[in-house]
Amino acid sequence: MKMQQFLQFLTQQLTHWRRQYKGLRRKGKLMRNPKSKSHRRELLRTIVKNIILFFSKTNDKSCRRKQETALKLKAKLVKTKRSIYKVCLDWVHEQRSLVILVIAILSLTGILGQKLYNQTQLKVGHPAPQTIIAPYTTSIEDRKETEAERKAVSKSSLQVLMLDSRMNEQINENLQKFLDDSNEIRVVAGAFPFFDPVVLSISTQRYLRSCPDLEWQALLLAVENSKNQQKKGTGRTAISSRPSSIAPNQERQPHTTPTPEKTRVDFSQNTDFTQAVAELESYRLTTSEKNLSLLIAQISRTRKRYTQATAKLLQLETVTPEAVYEESLLLDLSDVEWEKTQRGIHQSAERILTQGIPQGLPKNILQDAVSLQLQSFVPESAEPLAKNLLVAVLKPNLQEDEEQTRENAKKAAAGVSPVMVKFRDGEVIVKKGVQITAWDFDVLEHYHLVHREVKWQELVKLAGVIAIAISIFVWVERHIDYELRQRDRLLVLLLTLSVPGLVPMGLPYTTWSALGLLLGSFYGPTLGLTVVGLLLPILLLLPILGISLDMSKAALLAGAGGAILGSYVAQRLRSREELALLGVAIALTQGSIYLVVKILIGQAFASTWYIVLREAGFFALSGLGWSVVALGLSPYLEKVFDLVTPIRLAELANPNRPLLKRLATETPGTFQHTLFVATLAEAAAKKLGCNVELVRAGTLYHDIGKMHDPLGFIENQMGGPNKHDTEIKDPWKSAEIIKKHVTEGVVMSRKHLLPTAIQAFIPEHQGTMLIAYFHHQAQQMAQEDPSLTVDDADFRYDGPIPQSRETGIVMLADSCEAALRSLQASTSAKHQGDKRSLKDVSPEQALAMLNNILRAKWQDNQLVDSGLKREDMSQIAQIFVDVWQQFHHKRIAYPKLKASGTARNS
């Protein structure tokens, strides 16, 4: 039972809501009412509430009556609110110009004067108007001191270092190069020791290889004398003659011949010399004379190689900046010692590089570290050489780890506690007449003693300046040919607000170039220059009104210069590529003006000249960037605000557009008619100073409605039967078909989202003209049948009549095209020898005929709203005749060929 009552109640509610919904939809208010969604939500809430109440109190009929009453009251209230809302909307629509004016003044004042909303009565640097004391005890953070301490801790935090792998690779490469050079020199010197150390000790071999030639010759003579003494039986070996005047360690001399007897020197005091002689004599006693001779020859060869290696070593020392080879230790080491030394050098370098060498390490500390490492890895005799080599190649290989150092600094700074200053109740914060410091201001701000206020007087002054600027803009708007719609005024306002709107964000590179380029492209140079010329003085006057602007005057002048160039040139361009080049020109202009202004005020010659050049480059890049943004936004703005620019008109006039391709394919006769009308209208528009691109594009689309019934128009019948004479035979129906090409054309244009300016050509090119041919047929039928009544309204187009000079010109061109085409057919027939044509039509006759047509249009009041004047009619007629003559000039009459000749040529 409960379920049945619930379903019955729910059915009644749904029926009520469905009726209410249909009523609103018939009145057309449901979709237009922005509160319809909230109304639906309210109804949904009511349904849920009724369901809950129904289940809780199903049998209480009085409760249901209360619910129904409440629902009716709520519907009545919603209806009343909707009526009030509709009245408000109607008033706003009627006063939309005033509304946009108020919005413009308020928005510009609000953005430009945003610093006037929250001004403080007390300011830093100004004297205090009275002595201000602390109202209660509290502790206040000294942000300045806290920040200073945190910065100090951040700077003193430990620097985190990391190994530089590239530097390690470079050090290893340099080290290996030194070792490779050393190996090459040792290869030249030959193996060492070069003989059995049992026979000749290492020290003796080192001496024999490196001793001067004079000592070597004396040594050979001593060995020879010892041999002779032994043969004579004496047991003493004479090895000297005269006292030596040459020190044992004298400079090495070139190889010479054996020393004569009179130049002999005494080397008996040289222990290396005596030891070498003794070891050679001992070897002679234990072996044959032949082996001794072979040993002496081997020593001589080794000495020569040693001399070559020494020369190469001296040459290498001259090209090596580091003193690596100062001592001849490289050649004194044995092969085993050298191998061990190389390994030790590599191991020591690896250890030192792994530990890391920081920047600024003193050289003596590095030398000590190298010496300490080499003690464990290289022979003692090779330590000086290895030390010199490592000190020469080792470089600092530690670099700062910026990220980790920054993190450490942040952690250290975060660990610093805020510096708190305690103020007691009644303590003086600032005395009367004393300048308020930043710290005093912070304390007053903490105690909420800094009273803030809105500078209404400055805001009113700013609003007055803006109102004067807007009045100038309105005056300029009324004196230009372009009539702005409300949406155009709104777009101009939005573009203008973009310039000061970015300044509070701290962005000095604002949208000047985009403003000039878009305004110039959309509305022409006059309007664009007006907006830029009014906005620049307002921005320059802001400091006088007490508003600090976060932009320099050089930046303002540079941006305005680029905007002026864009406004002046943009509408002359006919392609996106040309607009892109204009963006480059705007960028160069902005950068150049900024640099010139800085030069004039003397900042470019200061020590910060490079900063000026950098800023000029940034202004140039910003001009280019905003130009690119403007180019990207322009197609969307054209669509949203229904704008027609020369570039968009050129794109719409492209014959490859889908609608025009259909027109050429489905109605070829209409397409040819359209092209001729476009030619006539363009010539007239150019002569009268109208928008030629708009006339061209509008003419191409003015007859697209004929595609709904191509054969209903004679130009598409291609010589076939006329359906109006063979099938329809009813002038009223035929007139409806002819009139329908206007209504269908409007539908097609809206479907393909053509601009409103283009759509206007479709109904206005016909205006409210009479369809004379079928009107005449209807009159004839009415004369024969008195029951028929002819109403002129049935045979007139619905209009409206042309509302601009462009659509008026197209109406005249469309009306004259058929007449000129008939003249074309007549002259063509004459030139082809058609006897039905009596003579060529003269330009005077064609002009008289067109003047009659245009006079009829004028007298029919079709052009009263177009802006065309009576004296323009004769000028337009003359232009049409001139175009007709250019297309259909006289041709040469070729002589007729004889039949035989024709047969031969064919």
Side-chain angles (χ1 to χ4, degrees), residues 410-428:
K410 286 182 179 179
K411 290 180 181 178
V416 176
S417 301
V419 178
M420 306 299 292
V421 179
K422 188 173 183 179
F423 280 85
R424 299 185 179 277
D425 184 10
E427 183 178 348
V428 175

Side-chain angles (χ1 to χ4, degrees), residues 4-152:
Q4 185 178 0
Q5 292 177 358
F6 168 71
L7 293 176
Q8 185 179 2
F9 167 74
L10 186 60
T11 303
Q12 292 175 356
Q13 293 293 333
L14 290 175
T15 304
H16 172 71
W17 292 329
R18 191 182 298 112
R19 289 173 182 171
Q20 187 179 18
Y21 175 79
K22 289 182 179 180
L24 292 174
R25 191 171 183 180
R26 279 197 302 272
K27 294 177 181 179
K29 297 178 181 178
L30 187 63
M31 298 305 295
R32 292 195 300 270
N33 186 3
K35 292 189 177 179
S36 59
K37 291 185 178 179
S38 62
H39 178 57
R40 287 190 218 118
R41 286 196 215 101
E42 199 65 34
L43 292 177
L44 184 59
R45 280 197 212 100
T46 305
I47 293 174
V48 175
K49 191 181 295 183
N50 287 334
I51 292 172
I52 295 172
L53 290 173
F54 177 79
F55 279 112
S56 61
K57 298 180 180 180
T58 309
N59 296 324
D60 193 355
K61 296 183 179 180
S62 61
C63 183
R64 279 209 306 270
R65 288 195 208 99
K66 290 180 181 179
Q67 293 170 9
E68 293 175 1
T69 305
L71 187 61
K72 290 178 181 179
L73 289 174
K74 187 169 290 186
K76 186 177 180 180
L77 181 61
V78 169
K79 185 176 180 180
T80 304
K81 288 182 178 179
R82 192 186 307 120
S83 301
I84 296 173
Y85 183 76
K86 184 177 182 300
V87 170
C88 294
L89 281 182
D90 292 340
W91 181 86
V92 170
H93 181 72
E94 292 173 359
Q95 304 294 330
R96 56 188 182 278
S97 298
L98 179 61
V99 171
I100 291 179
L101 177 63
V102 172
I103 291 174
I105 295 176
L106 292 179
S107 58
L108 284 169
T109 305
I111 291 179
L112 292 174
Q114 48 91 20
K115 292 189 176 181
L116 300 175
Y117 302 145
N118 201 21
Q119 291 289 314
T120 58
Q121 293 178 348
L122 303 176
K123 295 184 178 179
V124 176
H126 290 219
Q130 60 185 7
T131 301
I132 306 175
I133 61 176
Y136 53 88
T137 301
T138 186
S139 295
I140 303 174
E141 179 187 354
D142 189 341
R143 294 189 181 90
K144 186 177 180 180
E145 288 296 326
T146 303
E147 189 65 25
E149 288 192 11
R150 287 175 178 172
K151 284 184 178 179

Side-chain angles (χ1 to χ4, degrees), residues 119 122 175 260 315 376 438 445 449 458 713 781:
Q119 291 289 314
L122 303 176
L175 177 62
Q315 182 182 1
S376 305
E445 187 79 51
L449 297 175
E458 285 77 4
F713 303 89
M781 294 175 65

